Amino acid sequence: MDFSFTDEQQMLQDTTRRFVASRYSFDVRHAIAATAEGWSRDVWAQMADLGLLAINIREEDGGLDAGPVGTMLVAGALGEALSLEPFLASAVVATHVIGNLGSATQRAEWLPALGSGDLLAVLVTDEGDALHAAFEAREERGGWWLEGSLQGVYHAGVAGLLLVVARTGDGTGVFAVTPETPGVHVSSRGSVDGQRMADVVLDGVHIDVSARVGGEALGPVRDALDAGLAALCSDALGAMERILAATIAYTRSRVQFGTPIGSFQALQHRMAEMLIHMEQARSMSYLATAQCTNPDLPERREALCAAKALMGQAARYIGQQAVQLHGGMGMTDELDVSHAFKRLLAFELRYGTTDERLASYREHVVVA
Amino acid sequence: MDLDFSPDELAFRDEVRQFLATSLPAEIRDRMRRADESHVREDILAWQRLLHARGWGAPAWPADFGGTGWSKTQQYIFENECSLADAPMQLAFGVKMVAPVLMRYGSAEQQARFLPGIIEGKDWWCQGYSEPGSGSDLASLKMKAERDGDEYVLNGQKVWNTLGQFADWIFCLVRTDPTVKPQKGISFILVDMKSPGITVRPTRLLDGTFEVNEIWFDNVRVPAENLIGEENLGWTYAKFLLGHERTNIAGIGASKRGLQRLREVAARLARNGRNRLHDPVFATRVAQVEMELRALEITNLRVIFAEARNHAPGPEASMLKIRGTEILQRISELHVDLLGASALGLDADGDDEALQATRAYLNLRKLSIFGGSNEIQRNIIAHMILGL
């Protein structure tokens, strides 16, 4: 049992925290959110310079291979900053899929570009359910025909490479599709948390046989989504830390009845409860990180479901109480509280909702 | 970061399991399983003697005082395994509460006189803290101790004294100076329960048991040599003590055992055609508790890890106390809800399982009240961690 981090992991966290503290103030984020793209390529390039986009690339592929713990620490700091950049989608999930599934040629072609930030890739699949394929792939005329549609794919609108998960005749495949390919329709829109997402429609898309990434993909897709879930949990923990700190600071400074409202016991106990929720959530974030690579799949799934469900409940409690304790100010767009609140809402609903995960956990531990 | 126990820690766990499997007397284990407190003094002291014979009489004491010298993690593993094996809890008032105070603030004579009786399972200790007007606001306590030559004369009343009806000794907080700030006029004194002038009256509780007492002190004469440390510094010693009853404060092992037993009862009911675990409403409540317990176990290990790295036991224990007691209480709720109306009989000749479930549900209301109520724990979190 050891809850410490290695020097390298600590350095990665410090680097990310310093970066967002100096370059990603709330005002900067606000300005970035208002741009057409809704995220910053400049920030992305700086993240690449710091090596943050290569932490999920193995050393033999030229990456930093920081593993789940390193990813957890980076994702936590980015979550605390409410970052709008496609770190989770491209630098964690898509990078994972290519690293674990891609041929040597594909890895050599894409991984360096992903690490340098020149290429953005997004896995196009139902992130809540690895078994559900929204697309069909048929092998024909020396290539593949892809059909299907999926809504609300985070950051798919800016991806240079769409990694489409499709059901093949005999299993599951991942197919690399560029958005310019005829029949590919990607329409971007905003998500409630300020990030961008897109609806992806593939209408009779024909691609070369070489566009299939590796072979049977169900295992690597599931592994990548599990790594993504662990990172998302850490992202949410970062948002919880931010929103609780903001709430404590606000109730200490807001004076009513001649005294800071934070001196009232009713509010103090609410914040104590928020802290307990957050520390329980932190424990579960650690669990998700430790278990997301467990080769024992039922054990892994049980742990990840428990982590997501408990953290979803914590996110909802902490988010709602933070808005409540900020009073009218919590309702405004002006403060970071409402933005963190919305990021937590997205966390609760993404990657299998809190209820779905709890039901799934129940099937594992109670009914089984 | 590694959430699993190390090979050494796992080997230690197996050693503890082996010892419990071979050394815990079956009749004691069965009484603990039935929550049968008819032999509580004999059982707890007999188990203490067996632990002592194995060299494990005082898991948290330093080796210099005859303790095990175990790490915090080992202590945690030991207590969990004891809970899972239905072993009696060691009497906290001796090994976990008064002993650390003796070791830190007692004289060499006091240590030599009192510590052996604690670790060897000879003396039964109890605590005299709360008074009718002093519960959460403990520092307002009024029981007087007035110096008279080589003795103190004690007058007053203690309440909510746990298991004092079996006690040989009581450690008391007493008022030695009523003229100063309340915290500055309190002393910590050890009193022989056989002293003339002490009257113990057990308080009947909602589950029909007698677990706590009122104790009256009427001109009880106590040798001055029984005072711990300095007069009027008792509050300091009491606060020190509070930091030392907390390794098992979350009750992880007890909750795990409670959930195991809930499944046993559910399985028996299922054999009779009533499988409540197939009811999604009930099953979800079980899953909810399982999930929170899993998180709390990690939180507990995090606190232990931080403590072991030279952070003194801190206010984080308040979080463990709140969630740990809530979880234990909720498991007791699940037990009565599982049994349904059959849990209503409170007579000894009723269904044993149902009787136990009901008594436990009633009795465990205490968890969020004693040891600093959960509201006081939230105050501590607000002040000490959140800085409010």
Side-chain angles (χ1 to χ4, degrees), chain B residues 136-141 173-188 230-239:
Chain B
S136 291
D137 180 14
L138 185 61
S140 68
L141 62 90
L173 291 180
V174 291
R175 172 79 42 212
T176 36
D177 188 346
T179 65
V180 291
K181 189 177 164 231
Q183 288 85 349
K184 301 280 184 198
I186 292 171
S187 296
F188 194 110
E230 286 180 50
E231 200 176 275
N232 295 326
L233 287 184
W235 191 249
T236 305
Y237 311 149
K239 280 196 295 185

Side-chain angles (χ1 to χ4, degrees), chain A residues 296-319:
Chain A
D296 182 332
L297 294 180
E299 212 174 88
R300 186 205 294 186
R301 186 166 167 78
E302 184 189 315
L304 290 179
C305 285
K308 176 65 166 64
L310 184 135
M311 290 190 74
Q313 292 174 350
R316 182 151 293 183
Y317 183 83
I318 293 168

